[in-house]
Amino acid sequence: MPELVTPSAQYRKSFLEAVREMQAEGGGGLASSRTWDTDEIAADFDAFLQHLRRLEPPAGLPEGWVHSSEFWLVDGDTYLGRADLRHSLTPGMREFGGHIGYEVWPSARRQGYGKMLLRLTLERAQELGIERVLITCDAENLGSRGVIEGNGGVLEGEFRLDLHPRPFRRYWITL
Ligand SMILES: CC(C)(COP(=O)(O)OP(=O)(O)OC[C@H]1O[C@@H](n2cnc3c(N)ncnc32)[C@H](O)[C@@H]1OP(=O)(O)O)[C@@H](O)C(=O)NCCC(=O)NCCS
């Protein structure tokens, strides 16, 4: 049964495989970014895990940043996806970005894991005392819209901003 966990070295092999697959695919997603050098990550996985968790409380924050937590959806030793939960919103994140970002390993998509990943992350948000969760996604991202709407997301509207090249949607989920 898949579960939401704190990132750990137990999932190293599967995680690296997933990131390589995402980078080869070149599609959307946080891990598909070329700024993640898989050879570097593999060479010192513990340092990478620390980097991922650098904004978790009680860490001190750089000016203008908020606390955030990284979670992985896993099944046994298999990595399925990740979510980043921002504990509060800056004015900029209220406009675009919201509380939660997520992605599912390409090989694991369209099997309901996206909806499960968001549902479990919303439970963590509730534990933190967040009452209303904002999630933004590109209007053309039908998968993400399905994930949000499947978790009760209520559409605020569709917007455009100079800083983002495509129309995007804001959804709210009341916990
Ligand atoms: C968006 C994403 C997380 C969806 O993950 P997933 O595991 O495929 O999602 P699910 O299987 O839970 O699907 C949720 C719903 O969306 C639908 N869906 C998923 N992908 C879809 C697609 N490409 N086109 C149309 N519908 C899609 C599913 O059929 C399902 O609908 P249902 O509730 O009617 O059954 C995944 O595609 C991904 O990681 N994309 C890249 C990163 C990204 O876009 N992150 C979100 C940023 S806002």
Side-chain angles (χ1 to χ4, degrees):
M1 185 66 189
E3 54 181 335
L4 198 69
V5 300
T6 298
S8 93
Q10 181 182 345
Y11 314 103
R12 177 181 184 279
K13 186 169 174 287
S14 174
F15 176 81
L16 286 166
E17 207 177 294
V19 176
R20 288 193 179 107
E21 186 182 317
M22 293 184 84
Q23 292 186 342
E25 188 194 54
L30 317 167
S32 64
S33 156
R34 300 283 166 187
T35 55
W36 279 21
D37 180 329
T38 46
D39 290 337
E40 221 172 84
I41 293 172
D44 193 347
F45 201 70
D46 284 341
F48 173 71
L49 292 175
Q50 274 178 34
H51 174 76
L52 276 186
R53 301 185 61 189
R54 72 196 179 286
L55 297 175
E56 281 182 18
L61 295 171
E63 179 71 30
W65 289 67
V66 297
H67 281 125
S68 80
S69 304
E70 167 96 8
F71 299 108
W72 287 358
L73 185 71
V74 299
D75 191 355
D77 288 342
T78 303
Y79 168 86
L80 295 170
R82 62 192 285 264
D84 179 29
L85 168 63
R86 272 79 74 173
H87 298 197
S88 56
L89 297 177
T90 62
M93 285 155 55
R94 167 64 182 80
E95 288 287 301
F96 177 75
H99 285 98
I100 301 177
Y102 45 81
E103 67 194 352
V104 169
W105 180 14
S107 300
R109 287 182 192 164
R110 305 213 66 163
Q111 299 169 52
Y113 290 127
K115 280 198 283 192
M116 183 187 292
L117 174 59
L118 180 56
R119 179 173 57 76
L120 295 171
T121 307
L122 289 169
E123 286 178 12
R124 304 300 177 101
Q126 193 165 27
E127 284 162 18
L128 288 174
I130 301 172
E131 289 172 0
R132 284 181 85 221
V133 169
L134 173 66
I135 305 175
T136 68
C137 78
D138 283 0
E140 66 191 21
N141 192 339
L142 299 183
S144 192
R145 281 166 53 168
V147 165
I148 301 166
E149 289 167 12
N151 277 284
V154 176
L155 184 66
E156 178 185 320
E158 216 163 282
F159 305 90
R160 282 179 178 275
L161 282 177
D162 288 344
L163 62 85
H164 189 71
R166 292 174 298 278
F168 68 93
R169 293 180 154 211
R170 280 190 206 121
Y171 287 93
W172 291 92
I173 298 174
T174 302
L175 299 176

